[in-house]
């Protein structure tokens, strides 16, 4: 458990963690709470399971990775676990949906979906947290200091 929580007082890690956490909390809140034009939990589960044919347990894990992962990153609690969930979520999204569209996002509305450039940025940020930890001002840092 000590290795899972271990981190440094690096404020750059904190910045990376907060940015990734804010983005994924917002996406997760759309899916869970229906905020910012989202479908809410039931609507998202229906879309994932019926329209996208994702098995319900995997759909649930994907939704929770964004919502709880985003929350975990915002406070720095189990940041490596949260970053792992987000990295897996984004990797699956690239491999199953977005790779067919191409690299670039659909800035001009002339593609059949979004490319994967956003996803690899999220994966890269998640990998930094996965390897280095939550950084300064994190619950992980406070807990790991107590166990030292």
């Amino acid at each position: 458990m000590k290795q899972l929580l271990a981190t440094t007082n690096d404020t750059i890690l904190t910045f990376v963690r907060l940015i990734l956490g804010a983005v994924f909390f917002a996406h997760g809140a759309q899916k869970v709470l229906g905020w910012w034009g989202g479908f809410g939990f039931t609507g998202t589960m229906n879309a994932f399971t019926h329209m996208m044919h994702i098995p319900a347990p995997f759909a649930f894990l994907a939704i929770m990775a964004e919502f709880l992962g985003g929350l975990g990153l915002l406070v720095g609690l189990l940041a490596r676990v949260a970053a792992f969930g987000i990295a897996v979520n984004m990797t699956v999204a690239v491999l199953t949906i977005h790779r067919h569209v191409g690299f670039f996002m659909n800035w001009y509305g002339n593609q059949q979906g979004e490319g994967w450039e956003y996803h690899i940025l999220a994966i890269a940020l998640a990998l930094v947290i996965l390897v280095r930890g939550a950084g300064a001002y994190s619950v992980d840092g406070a807990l790991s200091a107590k166990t030292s």
Side-chain angles (χ1 to χ4, degrees):
M1 185 67 158
K2 187 177 177 183
Q3 284 293 87
L4 185 65
L5 302 175
T7 190
T8 65
N9 252 357
D10 188 336
T11 55
I12 296 300
L13 286 174
T14 305
F15 178 74
V16 168
R17 173 176 55 81
L18 290 174
I19 294 299
L20 191 62
V23 167
F24 277 90
F25 172 75
H27 280 273
Q30 286 181 310
K31 291 173 178 69
V32 173
L33 305 173
W35 292 1
W36 300 299
F39 297 123
F41 184 75
T42 303
T44 303
M45 281 296 289
N46 284 334
F48 279 15
T49 57
H50 294 100
M51 293 170 51
M52 299 172 72
H53 307 292
I54 299 171
F58 293 131
F60 178 79
L61 286 174
I63 293 166
M64 290 300 116
E66 290 188 13
F67 184 66
L68 296 178
L71 280 175
L73 289 176
L74 285 172
V75 299
L77 176 61
L78 297 173
R80 284 186 168 95
V81 174
F84 177 76
I86 288 168
V88 168
N89 210 12
M90 293 294 97
T91 301
V92 170
V94 167
L95 295 175
T96 60
I97 299 166
H98 300 282
R99 72 182 171 99
H100 304 291
V101 179
F103 179 75
F104 293 104
M105 293 181 68
N106 194 8
W107 293 108
Y108 304 109
N110 56 3
Q111 297 174 182
Q112 295 296 316
E114 299 290 344
W116 44 272
E117 67 178 316
Y118 158 82
H119 303 82
I120 61 170
L121 287 171
I123 292 166
L125 293 176
L127 289 176
V128 169
I129 297 164
L130 190 59
V131 171
R132 302 288 307 212
Y137 312 110
S138 65
V139 175
D140 287 356
L143 291 175
S144 67
K146 289 183 180 187
T147 61
S148 297

